[in-house]
């Protein structure tokens, strides 16, 4: 962490993976002096926004990690550079999952053309969004062709990931025929691809699940940013590799179509506006916390119940 | 919605349920002129913070609604006034659950001493938190003895509910012995009571689940805000009513202990500080959106990619 931002920026831009890892650690840091250096680093990076940004969510047990690993191995085998960023929206206070993280994607993590970054320890949703966006920016500056942002399917984090990627895919295991209940309508609406994994185990169940989701998608409104045949539901098997090439071909076809039709540029413009608002919030909060007078007076009044929180907020903003 | 805030405040303070419903509609409104009136209304209310605020989360299918209904009927039968507020943190864009809400708590909703308010249509997490806090405040001003804030167990919303209530309880169905996985560590850490529902169906499975969670809780750090025996895991049956009186007795015992030991006052003071920060964020965003110059210049620069979102946010804050 003792490299100066300009030097680190040069090393990142040269595709140095160790420098990239250090740069992400810097943007993840909660320390105030690190934040200043992180911003200097980001400002010093070349503007490179040519990567395909793929959001990927999946319920626990759907086989998301295996799928990313196998897909990543295929793509790096073709000479492409693949970065994988994990998002865990659990707050500081509420910690991670009770079982903790297993070691994941062992093969891909040894592959020189790949870069895998697990979720950091925690933080608020707004902070998680900020550092993930910045990590995506760093990976793009480092020359990765594909940046996968993956998350577990717990609602709020899927929204966040869909709002910072070009294409959003959901990975599901075949179900027993009893539900689409677990999947929120809005997540369905954001999905460009649904991958029904583990098709090797029970092809009939996978086909049945595929049919159910395809029917559910047909009930939704046609979106201008979709070519014929999208959103789509595909069956795959991360274990045997079946269907993965087709799935990737669908992702690429969709991305190129959107790029050529101008939808990609529009989506990214909208996402930049959202990022702007999120940054505004984060920076406003940082200023509030840095102001010692506000900290000592308004907070004390609120804490003691002598001033209502909305009124205190109003005074803080006027100040 | 055409009553003036002062008149509405008087009616709410008199315990008029129709006025309370209208007041909550007002604080839920996204319209700017409604916001001004909502704040006038809140400012005009008497300070009354004597209710027990109970947060309640549960996975879909755990029988949460039935449990609240039966508990609510018991308590209103004793002459207590019970308000139930539902929180759904789904964002505007991501909508509600794909199945939608069923009609719930039919008996309790006909009970004159009860007030039930379903989740509004959507909105961002920050907005949901704000209007739920305000709705709690309105219910307290209207003289309710117990305010239950319920939510589905999807991670982020549980944090929010725990952060605005005195006691946080989780409702679970007995499991097949295979997991505690679904429950995040942090949610476990926030839980004061875990209620294993549906004990009538399979008492052995319920007892087994109770044992598993009790063991998991024993691994956690003892908290100063807990008397002997808390957090605790109880088996109940909302269907037959078994265990519900004991569960309620535990809630009340915990609440009174915390009140007498000063923990309740400290918790509420912390919650007010959090509310202050959330209000600060909401109000800062509202100001950003109201400023036509910022809207037209900075946003256009960001949208076009000529200005980085963090830099634009910095300029917006300086302005």
């Amino acid at each position: 962490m003792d490299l100066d931002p300009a030097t680190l920026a040069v090393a990142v831009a040269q595709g140095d993976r160790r420098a990239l890892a250090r740069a992400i650690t810097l943007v993840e840091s909660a320390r105030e002096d690190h934040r200043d250096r992180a911003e200097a680093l980001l400002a010093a990076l070349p503007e490179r926004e040519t990567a395909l940004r793929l959001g990927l969510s999946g319920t626990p047990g759907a086989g998301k990690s295996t799928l990313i690993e196998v897909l990543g191995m295929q793509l790096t085998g073709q000479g492409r550079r693949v970065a994988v960023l994990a998002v865990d929206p659990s707050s500081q206070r509420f910690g991670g999952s009770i079982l903790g993280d297993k070691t994941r994607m062992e093969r891909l993590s040894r592959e020189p053309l790949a870069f895998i970054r697990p979720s950091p320890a925690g933080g608020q949703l707004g902070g998680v969004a900020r550092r993930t966006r910045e990590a995506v920016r760093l990976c793009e500056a480092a020359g990765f062709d594909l940046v996968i942002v993956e998350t577990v399917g717990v609602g709020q984090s899927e929204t966040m990931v869909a709002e910072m990627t070009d294409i959003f895919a959901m990975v599901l295991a075949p179900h027993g025929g009893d539900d689409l209940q677990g999947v929120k309508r809005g997540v369905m609406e954001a999905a460009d691809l649904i991958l029904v994994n583990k098709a090797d185990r029970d092809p009939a169940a996978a086909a049945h699940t595929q049919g159910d989701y395809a029917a559910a998608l047909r009930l939704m409104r046609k979106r201008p940013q979709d070519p014929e045949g999208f959103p789509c539901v595909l069956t795959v098997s991360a274990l045997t590799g079946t269907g993965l090439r087709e799935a990737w071909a669908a992702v690429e076809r969709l991305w190129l179509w959107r790029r050529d039709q101008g939808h990609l540029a529009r989506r990214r413009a909208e996402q930049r506006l959202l990022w702007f608002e999120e940054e505004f919030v984060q920076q406003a909060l940082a200023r509030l916390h840095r102001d010692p007078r506000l900290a000592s007076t308004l907070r004390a009044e609120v804490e003691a119940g002598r001033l209502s929180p909305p009124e205190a907020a109003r005074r803080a903003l006027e100040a």
Side-chain angles (χ1 to χ4, degrees), chain A residues 153-171:
Chain A
V154 292
Q156 218 52 35
S157 67
E158 291 160 313
T159 317
M160 184 201 297
V161 167
E163 283 169 352
M164 60 175 71
T165 51
D166 302 327
I167 289 179
F168 181 66
M170 255 187 354
V171 184

Side-chain angles (χ1 to χ4, degrees), chain A residues 18-127:
Chain A
R18 269 197 63 208
L20 176 58
R22 293 171 80 173
I24 294 179
T25 302
L26 185 62
V27 303
E28 281 171 359
S29 171
R31 272 177 48 184
E32 229 174 78
D33 56 323
H34 285 174
R35 175 80 330 231
D36 293 341
R37 289 172 58 208
E39 289 180 10
L41 164 68
L42 291 163
L45 288 174
E47 285 292 338
R48 203 184 277 160
E49 299 204 317
T50 52
L52 191 163
R53 305 171 189 164
L54 175 64
L56 206 87
S57 86
T59 41
K64 189 163 40 75
S65 302
T66 312
L67 191 145
I68 293 174
E69 171 154 84
V70 176
L71 181 67
M73 291 304 290
Q74 282 184 9
L75 294 171
T76 53
Q78 297 162 15
R80 304 206 202 201
R81 301 189 64 204
V82 178
V84 181
L85 303 170
V87 166
D88 182 354
S90 320
S91 78
Q92 206 88 46
R93 180 168 161 215
F94 272 51
S97 95
I98 206 158
L99 291 186
D101 261 358
K102 301 178 292 283
T103 310
R104 302 154 64 227
M105 305 184 218
E106 271 192 76
R107 277 197 304 151
L108 190 61
S109 63
R110 287 194 302 269
E111 166 58 48
L113 291 180
F115 177 82
I116 298 177
R117 181 75 179 195
S119 273
Q124 292 192 297
L125 205 63

Side-chain angles (χ1 to χ4, degrees), chain A residues 289-308:
Chain A
H289 293 150
R290 275 182 211 190
D291 187 327
R293 192 174 49 82
L294 285 173
S296 60
T297 54
L298 286 179
R299 287 172 66 90
E301 293 289 298
V302 167
E303 210 169 353
R306 285 190 298 269
L307 192 62
S308 86

Side-chain angles (χ1 to χ4, degrees), chain A residues 100-231:
Chain A
D101 261 358
K102 301 178 292 283
T103 310
R104 302 154 64 227
M105 305 184 218
E106 271 192 76
R107 277 197 304 151
L108 190 61
S109 63
R110 287 194 302 269
E111 166 58 48
L113 291 180
F115 177 82
I116 298 177
R117 181 75 179 195
S119 273
Q124 292 192 297
L125 205 63
V128 175
R130 171 196 258 181
R131 66 191 179 204
T132 308
R133 286 180 199 283
E134 290 175 348
V136 171
R137 167 121 168 70
L138 287 165
C139 290
E140 289 196 76
F144 284 88
D145 305 302
L146 169 63
V147 181
I148 297 177
V149 185
E150 65 147 324
T151 189
V152 285
V154 292
Q156 218 52 35
S157 67
E158 291 160 313
T159 317
M160 184 201 297
V161 167
E163 283 169 352
M164 60 175 71
T165 51
D166 302 327
I167 289 179
F168 181 66
M170 255 187 354
V171 184
L172 301 170
H175 63 65
D178 54 338
D179 62 274
L180 298 174
Q181 290 187 46
V183 180
K184 294 248 180 190
R185 166 179 284 276
V187 176
M188 287 281 284
E189 280 169 3
D192 298 305
L193 284 97
I194 296 177
L195 304 177
V196 182
N197 193 17
K198 304 191 177 179
D200 55 295
R201 282 203 203 161
D202 186 345
H208 188 73
T209 304
Q210 181 183 29
D212 284 354
Y213 279 93
L217 286 178
R218 272 193 298 274
L219 294 177
M220 305 210 170
R221 200 158 46 89
K222 177 95 181 103
R223 306 176 302 182
Q225 70 272 30
D226 290 330
E228 202 48 46
F230 284 92

